Amino acid sequence: TSYSENIGLVGITRVASRRVVFIAGIILIIVGLISKFGAIISTIPAPLVGGLYCALFGLIAAVGIQQVAKADLHSDRNLLIIGFILFMGLSLPAYMNGLPPFKVDGAARMRAIFGSGLGNIIVSLASSGMAVAAILGLILDNWISGTDKERGVEAVEQEPNAPIT
């Protein structure tokens, strides 16, 4: 899956093999069925878990910056997209949660406008900064015209039978 934690792990380990992920998934399912293992994991102190999260999410941010650096950062198109999705990824979740300076419960407003079904989906997506930035980034990158070079997806010449890097 594309959970941010998995992206961070690929960045650390450089292992992105489906076979490894499949085996790890089987191991996690087996370990999840053993309640004693879950009890041991629950004894890990919260500050230790917080420290691990700092390192993990810091790495995720660095991997994201590394991907953005492949694009042409001298292009006004790319600067507009990057700036807009960063701003919206930070501000829209704050609006949904009624944080200052908004002082409005955006989630309740969305549910009132769109009803409980569609409203809950919108609130769920808009409450995650990563989801907001990803969705808007995908839309804007495809909507605003640009060259492959600007997007950072130029075709790379490779030898036949060479491993993909």
Side-chain angles (χ1 to χ4, degrees), residues 53-154:
Y53 273 5
C54 287
L56 180 65
F57 288 112
L59 181 68
I60 292 166
V63 169
I65 292 169
Q66 183 182 36
Q67 293 299 317
V68 167
K70 292 180 181 178
D72 180 11
L73 295 179
H74 296 288
S75 164
D76 290 337
R77 170 197 180 273
N78 290 343
L79 292 177
L80 171 73
I81 292 171
I82 292 168
F84 186 77
I85 66 173
L86 284 175
F87 177 77
M88 293 303 292
L90 293 171
S91 63
L92 193 57
Y95 172 75
M96 285 296 150
N97 295 322
L99 299 176
F102 298 109
K103 300 177 186 163
V104 171
D105 185 5
R109 185 171 283 178
M110 289 299 127
R111 288 186 185 103
I113 294 170
F114 295 104
S116 63
L118 181 59
N120 285 335
I121 294 170
I122 292 171
V123 168
S124 177
L125 291 173
S127 296
S128 167
M130 194 175 302
V132 170
I135 291 168
L136 289 175
L138 288 169
I139 291 170
L140 291 176
D141 188 47
N142 288 298
W143 188 35
I144 300 173
S145 62
T147 65
D148 284 349
K149 183 177 181 182
E150 278 183 312
R151 291 186 167 115
V153 293
E154 284 184 299

Side-chain angles (χ1 to χ4, degrees), residues 2-74:
S2 61
Y3 290 118
S4 55
E5 293 87 354
N6 293 345
I7 295 168
L9 286 174
V10 169
I12 290 174
T13 63
R14 304 278 186 221
V15 175
S17 167
R18 284 187 228 154
R19 187 174 297 143
V20 172
V21 173
F22 179 74
I23 292 169
I26 290 172
I27 291 170
L28 287 174
I29 289 171
I30 292 169
V31 168
L33 296 174
I34 302 170
S35 61
K36 295 293 183 186
F37 188 78
I40 291 170
I41 296 297
S42 68
T43 63
I44 297 175
L48 181 63
V49 173
L52 290 171
Y53 273 5
C54 287
L56 180 65
F57 288 112
L59 181 68
I60 292 166
V63 169
I65 292 169
Q66 183 182 36
Q67 293 299 317
V68 167
K70 292 180 181 178
D72 180 11
L73 295 179
H74 296 288

